Amino acid sequence: LAAADATLRELSRDDGAALRAANRHGEALRRGIEELGRKHGVPVLASGFGAAFAVHFTEKAELKDYRDTFADNKERLRRFLYRALQEGVIVVPDGRFYVSAVHGEREIEQALDALDRVFATLDQTVDVPASVER
């Protein structure tokens, strides 16, 4: 509880400046990922908000409920996760991204540069080691 209390105090300091910054940087990353998908002809939708969002490799323009995620291209997500890890971008195994208060513009740029390389090779055959998969 002490850690949760300290976190909440830190996030609310300066009228929530740290959380606003994390949301702003996360939104830039979310939009950037969708732009990279368009650039490379890969249908991707990033759902969520600011500091917490998930990527979905789907033709859908919008997700209305959890059933819409059933159409996600799981193989493409698997390759994306593996290639992102190779490029130094750690993504939760179901495609979720979390941006924290320590991520700034520089880190977002670095992540987008790395993800640009991922999208460029995303549809190439990749042997994902079994130890990487769930």
Side-chain angles (χ1 to χ4, degrees):
L1 289 175
D5 183 54
T7 299
L8 291 172
R9 270 186 286 168
E10 186 64 28
L11 289 175
S12 62
R13 192 166 33 122
D14 297 327
D15 198 29
L19 188 55
R20 280 196 312 277
N23 279 322
R24 186 174 59 254
H25 293 129
E27 186 61 24
L29 180 60
R30 188 188 70 73
R31 282 191 320 268
I33 289 170
E34 290 184 335
E35 289 171 15
L36 289 172
R38 285 189 294 277
K39 172 183 174 183
H40 292 284
V42 176
V44 63
L45 175 67
S47 67
F49 66 93
F53 63 90
V55 294
H56 303 273
F57 292 96
T58 180
E59 299 284 342
K60 294 183 179 293
E62 155 183 43
L63 301 176
K64 295 181 181 168
D65 61 44
Y66 76 94
R67 289 177 193 88
D68 289 340
T69 66
F70 296 164
D72 286 4
N73 185 325
K74 290 172 185 42
E75 176 60 25
R76 192 174 268 158
L77 174 63
R78 187 179 69 82
R79 287 192 311 268
F80 175 81
L81 294 170
Y82 181 62
R83 286 285 298 116
L85 188 59
Q86 287 179 315
E87 291 289 341
V89 179
I90 300 172
V91 184
V92 178
D94 63 0
R96 283 179 287 147
F97 282 75
Y98 292 102
V99 177
S100 76
V102 299
H103 295 113
E105 291 178 17
R106 179 171 163 254
E107 289 78 16
I108 300 306
E109 279 183 34
Q110 289 173 335
L112 288 172
D113 287 345
L115 293 174
D116 191 18
R117 293 187 294 275
V118 169
F119 274 96
T121 61
L122 190 57
D123 285 334
Q124 295 175 2
T125 302
V126 175
D127 290 325
V128 179
S131 62
V132 174
E133 296 181 6
R134 286 183 171 227

